[in-house]
Amino acid sequence: MVRFTTDDDVRRLGDALAELRREKGLSQAEAGARIGMTSQGWGLYESGRRSGLFRPDIQRRLTGALDATPEALMLKLEPEADVSVSSPQRAPGVESTGAAFRGPALPADVRLMVLTTNEMAPWAAAGVTIAYRPGQPPREGQGCLVQMADGRRLVRLYGGRTDANVSLLSGVGDSESVSVDRIAALSAVVGRFDA
């Protein structure tokens, strides 16, 4: 099976989950029991042997067991850095500018898009911000941004690909087959931020 994320990406996310769990003072068994999972199952996510940790629904489930959020998990991925960076648009970590709040700085190759429709509910509804990495192929079942040749952009779940077609799934499981010729670019969704 082809893996579209590097092993290092999966391990880093697993390490972030482990750090979040330890901060909450829970063992793998205690965290897993909160959501009906064995300690071995939880450990597979932390060791990077289950890449499903990139899925927003899995992130919500696992971080929920830790009384945390997917955003808290993403904050653990940010490297420690000096916040007096000369470039204000890319200050690392979390910033507060009075009453306004901006989340963690994202890697330079990640783009954001705010959904304006509910066509992907319950996976993601209007107002949800998705983070996507242009050019990174999605894994089956992962969210994806499809840039159509006619200029439209679709957010769907990736269902797979043949030589001629790409299978896309809506939030409620409806499937559509799109000709590869009609697709200008296909990018993996790598994060989601609820409004």
Side-chain angles (χ1 to χ4, degrees):
M1 178 173 142
V2 177
R3 299 215 22 209
F4 295 112
T5 56
T6 66
D7 288 339
D8 188 49
D9 290 339
V10 177
R11 274 193 300 274
R12 283 184 58 235
L13 195 54
D15 289 345
L17 179 65
E19 184 178 343
L20 193 60
R21 175 187 52 79
R22 285 190 295 271
E23 285 177 2
K24 299 295 181 178
L26 297 172
S27 68
Q28 288 180 343
E30 292 167 327
R34 290 180 166 196
I35 55 173
M37 181 184 292
T38 66
S39 62
Q40 291 84 1
W42 188 280
L44 289 173
Y45 283 112
E46 287 187 2
S47 66
R49 293 190 306 204
R50 275 197 180 157
S51 60
L53 188 51
F54 282 97
R55 290 179 34 195
D57 58 319
I58 299 293
Q59 287 180 8
R60 276 194 313 277
R61 183 173 178 225
L62 295 175
T63 57
L66 303 174
D67 299 321
T69 64
E71 291 77 15
L73 179 64
M74 291 301 120
L75 288 173
K76 295 293 176 198
L77 291 175
E78 292 300 312
E80 295 292 325
D82 178 11
V83 293
S84 60
V85 177
S86 61
S87 173
Q89 75 275 11
R90 280 285 177 209
V94 176
E95 298 177 21
S96 175
T97 53
F101 174 81
R102 284 186 290 152
L106 296 169
D109 63 340
V110 172
R111 304 286 179 263
L112 298 176
M113 178 179 157
V114 177
L115 299 183
T116 58
T117 68
N118 285 319
E119 62 188 17
M120 285 306 295
W123 182 76
V128 169
T129 301
I130 61 165
Y132 65 96
R133 185 170 278 132
Q136 177 179 325
R139 296 179 317 280
E140 193 168 321
Q142 182 178 16
C144 65
L145 175 71
V146 184
Q147 180 69 47
M148 301 296 287
D150 64 7
R152 290 181 303 132
R153 294 194 306 179
L154 307 173
V155 177
R156 300 288 189 268
L157 296 177
Y158 183 73
R161 178 186 173 144
T162 65
D163 289 336
N165 297 306
V166 171
S167 174
L168 301 172
L169 307 170
S170 71
V172 293
D174 295 334
S175 177
E176 63 183 298
S177 184
V178 179
S179 171
V180 173
D181 298 336
R182 294 181 45 213
I183 298 175
L186 185 64
S187 304
V189 171
V190 295
R192 195 185 89 185
F193 306 96
D194 293 327

